Structures are given as C-alpha cells and as structure tokens.
Amino acid sequence: MKISRIAVVGGGIIGTAVARELAHRFDEATVTLFEKEPHLAAHQTGHNSGVVHAGLYYEPGSLKATLCRRGVEKLVGYVHERGVPYQECGKLVVAHDTMEVERLEKILERAKANGVPNVKLLDRNQMREVEPNVRGVLALHSPHTAIVDFAALTEALGADVEDAGGQLRFNSEVAQLDALGNEVRIRLAMPGAADSMVTEDAGAYDLVVTCAGLQSDRLAINSGLSAVPKIVPFYGDYFVIDRPAAEVVRGLIYPVPDPKYPFLGVHLTRRVDGALMLGPNAFLSMGREKYSKGGFDLNDIGSTLGFKGFWKFASQNLGAAAREVRTALSPTAFIEEARKFVPEIDPMTVRPGPRGVRAQAMDAEGNLVDDFVITTRGRLTQVRNAPSPGATSSLAIAEHIVDQALEALR
C-alpha cells in the first residue's frame, strides 16, 4: 500500500512525537503537522509542571503502566542526545497518618510490579536525609523521577520532523476531517470567519492522525464521530518560589492520592530553571484555553453546563469541590496546603505563577476517563484522550498510535 501524504493534527508533545514517528517510518512520504497556534506546545504541553513520571500509581500490566515505563526509557535517551534540559531530582510521596500509610504501601507494591527502579519506603528520619525540610510519618522515595522542559522537548521533536522532510504548518486550525474510502480530506477554519464551519480545503491525505487535546471532542464531532468522551476543562493554578528561597525543597514532594477525590491536590515541584512550583489545584475552567484569571468563553461554558455527564460528576464530588474551592479562592489556603509538607516555606517568598488547563475526558455518566482513548476509522486515527502520564509517555505513545493506525489499514 502506497502512503505518500500524511497529516498530523495538533502540535502538542504527543502530536509532534507522532509526526516524528511517521516521518521516520515513511521516509519517502511527506508528513505535514497542522497546528492552529503560531508555535508548538502552546496549550497543555507548555502549561504543565514538567514532571517525568516513573510509573508509581498505574495498574500493573495496564497500557498506562506499560507506555509510561517504555516512554521514560525512550525520553531519557532522547533528551541526552538532543541536550534538552532534564534533571533526575527524585520524588517523595509523603504520608501523614495511618490511612495514608496503608495507601502508600499499596503504591509501593504497584511501583515494584511496574518495574520502577529503586523505590522504597523511608521513615521520618530517612525521608529528611532526602528532603531536610519535609514533614511526615512515612514516605515512598522514587529516586529516578525527573523533571524536564517539555516545551523544549517538543521543539526538538518538531525539528526532527523538518529534518526528515516534513512540514510544520502553523496558524492552521483544522475544523473538519472527511474520511473517505482511500483518503482523508482536511478542511481548515477560515481565519476571522464568524462561523467556525466556514472552511477551506487543505487537500487529501493517505493517512491522518489527530492529537487535538482540549479540542479533541469537537474535532471528532465535526468529523462525524461520537460526542463522547466529552472534554471538560479544569484549570490548575500554580504559585512559584524563586531561588534562593526555592532551595527549601530539593526535588518533588507529593501527597498520597486519596480515592475520595478525583484530583491529587497541591504538591511541590522543582523546575529545571531552579524555581519551586506549588500546585496545581483543580477547578472548573471558564474556557478551554483561558490561562488568565477573569477570562471566560461563553461557548466553552455552555458546552460544559449543557453536558449531563458533568452534572452527574459534580453531584458525586461535592467534597472534592469544597476542597478545591478553598485553594481556588484563597492564596493563603493554597500555600498552607503546601506548608503541611514543608512548614519552612516562607509565605512572603511565594508569588502567583502560571495557570494550566487540563483536558479532562468524561463519559456520558460523568465518570472520568482515566486511560488512553484512540479510535480508528479507515485512514483516520483520532486520539480522544491522553491523560497523565501522556507527556512522559509521548515517544512510546507515538509508537503505539502509529502501530494502531497502520494495523487498521491491513
């Protein structure tokens, strides 16, 4: 089967990794990456904490666990080859009471089953040898958990695409895909048009993969596919401590996940530039791409509030909402959540930081979709959900997505 024209939609880390994988597998084909923004990594990839997850939490044998470990191996080799900023700073998951200790012991079992190297439990004295200012009764130590500049990593992947003869088309918003028998036709949104469905033809392709992140459900609907999983955006705010005050924490300090809550809660993360990030929290966003306070998008708000699954989710998570609203409304409460782990944090050194928006997929019953969702119809493959550890796993996910897309053509 001859494949000469390939397109990828979405210039986040997964879309760019997929374009690179395709360019390397089909050296005689032209790969075109369509991105609606003027640069790569404009949304989720460029607004996250930069953590390279080791695979502590995922169900052993699951796709997330397998892709995470494979992804870490590939990422480590790649960043060293390309000189992308990367630091193996280590991570503590810290318990404060008996119930958290029991959950922490189960996480240790999962981590070992997933092949995470050198994980172990530390008592209160041992954990302070790793993080002198941390407080807790027991901690799980993952010494090889790391941090990276995911935006810089994505730029390197994009350069690989171009070096292989591919094209990066910026300011090109794909509005619709028509999957025909032997091709997929791409239509772009007309710039400045009041109606997003006023489009221009961008040509036909032998193979198309979409990695549209926050807009994945809309692109799927416009292409004749199912409306679910639905994307419901949740924002996460960060606070930042700059150097030298950031030295109060050496690496990463996380809470023990609580099954009562759908989101993790505030944690502490060093960045590759030496700053310390506190957060994120998680609260319903007033827009899928709104990164500043006070901004809102009526279309996005209507999309969320008109989705019955969201109301089912909300009714089942009132406790979580109460917890998150405290940190959303009160910077003091936010900082105090971090100080539970490191009381030595001086609130006077903390400043407001960036905001990210998470593309949270939900099913029709309001359940959070916690695994990868990849659908294929003929020559069109769409990534509908790529949750954490999506960025960590990006190089391995790219292999998996391309394998699935090609399998459908056999």
Side-chain angles (χ1 to χ4, degrees):
M1 178 191 307
K2 184 172 177 58
I3 296 178
S4 60
R5 299 191 69 196
I6 301 172
V8 177
V9 180
I13 191 167
I14 293 178
T16 312
V18 167
R20 174 181 178 269
E21 181 72 19
L22 286 164
H24 286 173
R25 291 207 201 184
F26 294 91
D27 53 5
E28 295 184 359
T30 299
V31 176
T32 302
L33 174 64
F34 291 90
E35 167 54 46
K36 70 186 183 70
E37 305 297 348
H39 59 87
L40 299 173
H43 293 292
Q44 291 183 106
T45 301
H47 292 84
N48 64 29
S49 61
V51 176
V52 179
H53 295 282
L56 302 179
Y57 309 111
Y58 316 122
E59 184 67 33
S62 67
L63 188 60
K64 288 180 75 170
T66 302
L67 292 178
C68 182
R69 290 307 309 155
R70 170 72 174 153
V72 170
E73 292 172 2
K74 291 180 70 64
L75 185 148
V76 169
Y78 185 78
V79 297
H80 287 140
E81 174 189 331
R82 297 301 304 270
V84 176
Y86 177 90
Q87 297 173 21
E88 202 173 77
C89 60
K91 171 179 176 178
L92 289 179
V93 183
V94 180
H96 283 108
D97 56 42
T98 303
M99 290 183 63
E100 289 188 341
V101 165
E102 292 176 358
R103 294 200 296 268
L104 198 60
E105 290 171 342
K106 292 179 180 178
I107 292 172
L108 176 64
E109 293 174 6
R110 281 194 170 189
K112 289 183 174 180
N114 288 334
V116 180
N118 303 123
V119 288
K120 60 182 178 180
L121 295 177
L122 306 180
D123 63 27
R124 67 178 72 222
N125 294 320
Q126 292 170 322
M127 73 175 76
R128 294 184 71 176
E129 293 176 7
V130 177
E131 289 283 1
N133 297 309
V134 74
R135 296 294 184 274
V137 297
L138 191 71
L140 185 150
H141 184 214
S142 173
H144 300 293
T145 297
I147 51 177
V148 74
D149 185 337
F150 279 121
L153 174 56
T154 306
E155 291 290 343
L157 295 171
D160 287 350
V161 174
E162 292 184 308
D163 289 344
Q167 303 173 10
L168 306 182
R169 285 192 57 175
F170 296 112
N171 302 304
S172 299
E173 181 179 358
V174 175
Q176 183 177 342
L177 300 134
D178 296 323
L180 308 173
N182 294 315
E183 64 182 27
V184 179
R185 187 161 290 279
I186 291 181
R187 302 194 66 83
L188 301 180
M190 291 287 286
D195 185 349
S196 62
M197 293 310 295
V198 176
T199 61
E200 62 176 322
D201 191 355
Y205 294 82
D206 303 313
L207 181 66
V208 175
V209 179
T210 72
C211 306
L214 286 155
Q215 306 296 339
S216 61
D217 57 337
R218 287 175 172 162
L219 185 56
I221 292 168
N222 291 348
S223 305
L225 300 182
S226 170
V228 291
K230 173 79 170 179
I231 297 300
V232 176
F234 285 83
Y235 75 75
D237 281 329
Y238 291 93
F239 282 79
V240 175
I241 301 176
D242 296 308
R243 293 184 296 182
E247 303 303 323
V248 71
V249 173
R250 293 175 174 174
L252 313 176
I253 300 175
Y254 274 52
V256 179
D258 189 334
K260 293 188 302 184
Y261 299 118
F263 303 115
L264 181 61
V266 172
H267 41 284
L268 299 89
T269 307
R270 288 302 294 264
R271 294 193 316 207
V272 291
D273 65 358
L276 176 66
M277 297 177 72
L278 315 180
N281 54 1
F283 206 72
L284 183 67
S285 178
M286 295 296 100
R288 297 193 184 199
E289 300 174 3
K290 296 297 181 182
Y291 301 108
S292 59
K293 294 183 179 180
F296 64 92
D297 185 304
L298 289 176
N299 187 38
D300 290 347
I301 296 170
S303 176
T304 297
L305 299 183
F307 176 49
K308 292 181 180 179
F310 166 73
W311 294 106
K312 293 179 180 180
F313 167 82
S315 66
Q316 296 164 5
N317 289 279
L318 296 176
R323 182 184 77 163
E324 298 296 335
V325 76
R326 288 180 61 252
T327 58
L329 297 178
S330 170
T332 300
F334 193 117
I335 296 167
E336 286 306 308
E337 285 294 310
R339 296 184 75 242
K340 290 178 182 178
F341 298 92
V342 182
E344 283 75 9
I345 289 174
D346 180 359
M348 298 300 294
T349 66
V350 181
R351 63 175 175 84
R355 168 175 289 191
V357 181
R358 171 180 179 174
Q360 179 59 63
M362 287 187 189
D363 65 20
E365 298 303 314
N367 301 307
L368 303 187
V369 181
D370 194 41
D371 210 344
F372 300 107
V373 178
I374 304 167
T375 60
T376 298
R377 183 176 65 180
R379 295 173 178 266
L380 172 62
T381 293
Q382 295 194 296
V383 179
R384 300 292 304 268
N385 190 44
S388 180
T392 296
S393 310
S394 55
L395 294 174
I397 293 172
E399 290 181 333
H400 178 79
I401 291 168
V402 173
D403 286 345
Q404 181 169 321
L406 297 180
E407 180 65 30
L409 298 181
R410 290 175 183 161

